[in-house]
Amino acid sequence: MKRRRFIATCVVSAAFTGGMLTACNQGGTGTADSDGAQTLVMATSADYPPYEFVETSGGTEEIVGFDVDIARGIAERLGYEVEINNIDFNGLIPALQAGRADFVMAGMTPTEDRKQNVDFSEIYYEAQQTIVSQQNSGISTPEDLAGKQIGVQLGSIQERLAKDLQEEGGIAMEIVQLNRINEIVQEIKAGRIDAAIIEDAVAEGFLQANPDLQVAVIPAEGPSGSAIAFPKDSELVDDFNTALAEMQASGEIEELVNKWFRDRGN
């Protein structure tokens, strides 16, 4: 796929600094480069494969994944360049509110709470939530989480789901909040937590690399699926929705689903 009008990370160099993959141009949102093309800032939490993650090749780090390819497709249609900032998930909506990003793509579910603070595009991918634990843990349903320590990503839909299971489902479990999914998986493997709630596509990627783990699907209740988040009243929403509809109609979204969710590891 062509890569024109898209900047995944700094073209010259990029480095991790305080948990952020920092791009060259930090001059704010909606800037124009030397040839007049407008650059939009996309904020993400690049620890969520296959949606977004950091890939290292030849000493160069680049953020890649399903969301990144969709952003590339939208950018090509609308004539933008895109700069990606990598921050913790719980900082994504504050980044929009503070004007440090034009949009967020991070496998984010458009919950009613989030809609009070940001606007969303149409859903571009539906997913399920799962429980990940060690093999032979005896955990196969939400009820099996009672009395256990459960890891969730801070600020995520999985954190909200865990709290709902506590408050509405009456499941007495301890919720352990962590910033990144790989940290959560390592905590399971080390036996410091009993299980975690992770989206199915993300969990599948970690299971391929960790056959000592198992997964169980949680029946869906309430909002699900991923959408693009924008600052309130952003003029980009309609244009992005149009581009997403074109990508759906052309089969491009389905091709990316096959690439990132079905073909990886085969």
Side-chain angles (χ1 to χ4, degrees), residues 1-8 62 64-77 243 246-248 250-260:
M1 184 175 293
K2 296 179 181 178
R3 297 175 62 87
R4 68 179 182 272
R5 294 198 177 114
F6 185 84
I7 304 172
E62 181 181 14
V64 299
F66 179 60
D67 283 345
V68 174
D69 281 358
I70 291 177
R72 179 183 297 132
I74 292 171
E76 289 188 351
R77 281 168 170 77
E246 291 174 357
M247 293 175 72
Q248 292 279 10
S250 69
E252 188 173 347
I253 295 289
E254 184 64 19
E255 289 177 5
L256 294 177
V257 169
N258 288 331
K259 172 184 176 181
W260 290 106

Side-chain angles (χ1 to χ4, degrees), residues 11-52:
V11 174
V12 179
S13 64
F16 282 104
T17 305
M20 179 178 287
L21 187 64
T22 306
C24 287
N25 179 12
Q26 296 295 333
T29 61
T31 59
D33 61 17
S34 58
D35 64 6
Q38 189 176 18
T39 296
L40 300 179
V41 176
M42 167 181 159
T44 192
S45 181
D47 65 328
Y48 206 51
Y51 286 89
E52 45 269 319

Side-chain angles (χ1 to χ4, degrees), residues 6 13 15 30 46 75 90-91 99 117 132 137-138 144 160 176 189 192 198 220 222 228 236-237 253:
F6 185 84
S13 64
N90 63 314
N117 298 300
V132 176
S137 65
D144 295 330
R160 180 66 264 169
V176 179
K189 291 172 66 67
R192 288 188 286 268
I198 301 174
I228 306 169
L236 294 172
V237 178
I253 295 289

Side-chain angles (χ1 to χ4, degrees), residues 66-169:
F66 179 60
D67 283 345
V68 174
D69 281 358
I70 291 177
R72 179 183 297 132
I74 292 171
E76 289 188 351
R77 281 168 170 77
L78 301 181
Y80 292 113
E81 292 187 349
V82 179
E83 174 189 304
I84 298 180
N85 280 347
N86 181 19
I87 62 180
D88 287 340
F89 190 87
N90 63 314
L92 293 175
I93 288 179
L96 288 176
Q97 293 175 309
R100 297 194 302 272
D102 295 292
F103 67 100
V104 161
M105 292 188 73
M108 183 176 283
T109 300
T111 64
E112 292 304 316
D113 285 345
R114 289 172 180 158
K115 287 179 181 179
Q116 295 179 21
N117 298 300
V118 297
D119 289 337
F120 282 97
S121 71
E122 298 296 329
I123 296 287
Y124 60 85
Y125 184 71
E126 293 280 356
Q128 292 180 304
Q129 303 304 323
T130 66
I131 302 168
V132 176
S133 62
Q134 292 189 14
Q135 287 280 1
N136 303 315
S137 65
I139 298 174
S140 59
T141 68
E143 289 72 23
D144 295 330
L145 300 177
K148 295 180 170 58
Q149 292 182 309
I150 309 304
V152 294
Q153 187 176 40
L154 185 64
S156 68
I157 188 67
Q158 292 80 24
E159 179 184 15
R160 180 66 264 169
L161 175 56
K163 290 179 179 178
D164 287 345
L165 290 173
Q166 268 188 333
E167 297 165 5
E168 299 175 15

